[in-house]
Amino acid sequence: MTSPPEIALRLQTVKYFKMAGLAVLVFDYCIKLEAEIDLTWGRKWGFIRILFVVARYMPFVDVLVDLIYSLGPTSPQPCLSLYQVSSWLNITGTVAAESLLLVRTYTLWGRNKVLLVALLLLALGCIAGSGVIGASVSSLFEYQDPPLATSGCYQTQRIALYAVNYALLGLFETVILFLNLFQAWRHRRQPGSSRLITHLYRDGIVYVLYILAMTITNIVVIGFLPSEYAESVDTLQAVLHSVLSSRLLFNLRAIIQRRHEETLVSVMETDLQFGHSIPLHPISRRTKETTQSI
C-alpha cells in the first residue's frame, strides 16, 4: 500500500508538470506573437481563422481550469465538475488543433477531395469512439481528500480504459504523419524541388512526430503508471497541440507568402529587362486570394 507522503509527492509532481505546461504556453505565445500578427491578424474571418483562434487561445482557459483543479480544492466536492469542464475545454482545443493538421495535409495534397472525405470520416469515427468511452468511464471517477492536508483534487482509481481515447487520437495523428511522409517523399523525387517546400514538409513531419510522441506518452502514463500520475501530462499535451499546430499554420502561410513575393520579384525583373509594364495589381490580388484561403 502506498504511503500518504509518497502519494503527496506524486501529486506534487503532477502540479509541477501542469505549471510547466503553462510556462511553455506563455513563452511560445510571447515569441510567436509577431508572426501571429503578421500572418493572421487583419484577415477575413473564415473557417480556418476560427479553428486557429480556438486552437490558439482555448488552452489558456483550459490550463487555468486545470490549475484550479490541481491546486485549488481542499475537498473532493467540486473536483468532478472541474474535471468535466477541463475535459470539454481540452477536447475542444484538441479537435481544433487536429483540424488544422487536417487542413494543412489537405492543402499539401493539392486539395484532394477524396482524401478530405476519408480524413473527415476517420476523424468523426475517432470522436465518436472517444465519446462512447468518455460516457462509459464518467461514473468511475472517485475523489478523496488529498493526503497530508494538501490542496487539489485526488482521483484515487486508475481508469486504464481512458487511455483508449488517446489511442484513437494517436491513430489519427499516425495517419496524418504517414500522409506527410509520403508527400514529402514524392516531392523529393521531383526534379528542381524547392527548398522552401522541403522545409515545409520537414517542419510538418517533425511537429507531428512531437505531437504523436506526447500522445503515446499519455497512453503509457494512464495505462501503466500509478493512478496519481494519470493527469500529469494532459496539460502539456493540450499545450503542445496548440503550440505546434499554430506553428504549422504560420509556416505554411509564411512560405506561401514568400513564394508569391519571389514570383512577383521575378516578374518585375523580367518585365524591366524586356521593357514591359509590370502587372502589379493582378499578382497582388492572386497572392491575397491564395493566402486568405489558408
Side-chain angles (χ1 to χ4, degrees):
M1 183 176 179
T2 308
S3 64
E6 186 173 354
I7 293 174
L9 179 60
R10 292 174 180 175
L11 295 176
Q12 187 64 34
T13 302
V14 172
K15 295 173 184 177
Y16 292 148
F17 273 100
K18 293 186 181 294
M19 291 301 298
L22 175 62
V24 171
L25 182 65
V26 173
F27 177 75
D28 178 79
Y29 183 79
C30 292
I31 65 174
K32 281 296 180 179
L33 181 58
E34 183 178 357
E36 180 177 341
I37 293 172
D38 291 341
L39 300 170
T40 304
W41 291 15
R43 291 174 176 267
K44 293 181 180 179
W45 282 94
F47 180 66
I48 304 302
R49 187 173 181 188
I50 292 172
L51 284 179
F52 167 78
V53 169
V54 174
R56 183 71 166 163
Y57 290 99
M58 185 66 74
F60 284 94
V61 184
D62 181 22
V63 170
L64 176 61
V65 175
D66 209 8
L67 288 176
I68 294 173
Y69 171 87
S70 299
L71 302 173
T74 55
S75 66
Q77 282 74 22
C79 288
L80 182 58
S81 297
L82 284 170
Y83 180 82
Q84 290 172 337
V85 171
S86 177
S87 295
W88 279 109
L89 292 171
N90 193 324
I91 290 170
T92 303
T94 299
V95 168
E98 296 289 338
S99 297
L100 288 177
L101 296 181
L102 188 155
V103 169
R104 179 185 181 277
T105 303
Y106 168 61
T107 302
L108 293 179
W109 274 74
R111 301 180 182 271
N112 187 305
K113 301 296 183 183
V114 175
L115 177 67
L116 176 62
V117 171
L119 288 177
L120 287 175
L121 289 175
L122 175 62
L124 290 174
C126 293
I127 292 172
S130 297
V132 171
I133 293 169
S136 302
V137 303
S138 60
S139 61
L140 301 179
F141 285 88
E142 295 180 2
Y143 291 93
Q144 294 181 2
D145 291 323
L148 305 182
T150 57
S151 61
C153 293
Y154 172 35
Q155 208 284 112
T156 59
Q157 186 171 346
R158 176 198 298 276
I159 306 177
L161 182 61
Y162 211 72
V164 178
N165 275 349
Y166 289 100
L168 292 171
L169 181 62
L171 171 63
F172 181 80
E173 292 166 352
T174 301
V175 171
I176 293 292
L177 176 62
F178 276 104
L179 288 172
N180 278 270
L181 284 169
F182 180 73
Q183 197 69 345
W185 174 74
R186 288 178 58 185
H187 173 72
R188 286 181 63 88
R189 295 185 62 189
Q190 295 175 357
S193 57
S194 167
R195 178 180 292 183
L196 288 175
I197 301 300
T198 300
H199 287 171
L200 180 67
Y201 283 117
R202 182 200 63 193
D203 292 346
I205 291 168
V206 171
Y207 286 170
V208 175
L209 273 173
Y210 286 155
I211 294 173
L212 180 59
M214 184 56 68
T215 300
I216 295 173
T217 301
N218 234 328
I219 294 171
V220 173
V221 168
I222 294 173
F224 301 100
L225 295 188
S227 60
E228 291 83 12
Y229 291 122
E231 299 162 4
S232 57
V233 294
D234 55 355
T235 301
L236 271 173
Q237 177 161 16
V239 168
L240 282 182
H241 267 98
S242 171
V243 167
L244 297 180
S245 64
S246 298
R247 288 188 174 214
L248 286 174
L249 183 65
F250 294 155
N251 290 354
L252 180 59
R253 284 181 168 174
I255 286 175
I256 289 174
Q257 182 174 304
R258 185 171 174 181
R259 290 194 73 188
H260 279 281
E261 289 172 353
E262 290 177 352
T263 302
L264 177 59
V265 171
S266 177
V267 171
M268 291 173 65
E269 291 175 347
T270 302
D271 286 349
L272 286 172
Q273 180 179 357
F274 292 98
H276 296 159
S277 60
I278 302 173
L280 293 177
H281 297 293
I283 293 178
S284 298
R285 284 198 298 269
R286 288 198 298 271
T287 302
K288 184 176 181 180
E289 290 169 0
T290 304
T291 55
Q292 286 280 4
S293 64
I294 299 176

